[in-house]
Amino acid sequence: MKFHINPLASDIIISIYIIATLYLRFKFESQTYTSPILSIVLGLCFVLIIYALVKLKVLNPNWFGLFNSKKA
């Protein structure tokens, strides 16, 4: 049995995750000297986590209804 989150909750979780990770990156990078390469790698790692959850179908984003979903 796989764990699925409904589309609206997935959208909210992804939005909160993006805002939180951006805040943490800006805060971390302003307090310490960080090279641009490290910043890019850190950002890619954060994006990779969300990408993996979407590919595993744990998160099922609907993009807040902006795109037409496929009807079965």
Side-chain angles (χ1 to χ4, degrees):
M1 181 172 149
K2 287 188 175 182
F3 182 71
H4 297 281
I5 298 176
N6 67 3
L8 181 61
S10 294
D11 291 339
I12 293 170
I13 290 170
I14 291 171
S15 298
I16 291 171
Y17 179 80
I18 290 171
I19 291 169
T21 55
L22 281 174
Y23 172 75
L24 290 174
R25 282 183 63 200
F26 288 141
K27 184 173 177 161
F28 172 72
E29 291 173 8
S30 69
Q31 291 178 352
T32 62
Y33 174 74
T34 307
S35 69
I37 299 296
L38 181 62
S39 177
I40 291 170
V41 169
L42 187 61
L44 287 174
C45 289
F46 284 140
V47 170
L48 187 64
I49 292 170
I50 288 293
Y51 177 77
L53 289 174
V54 169
K55 281 297 182 185
L56 291 173
K57 301 207 186 278
V58 173
L59 294 176
N60 303 305
N62 189 21
W63 311 114
F64 294 105
L66 293 176
F67 303 110
N68 293 334
S69 61
K70 296 178 182 176
K71 303 278 181 176

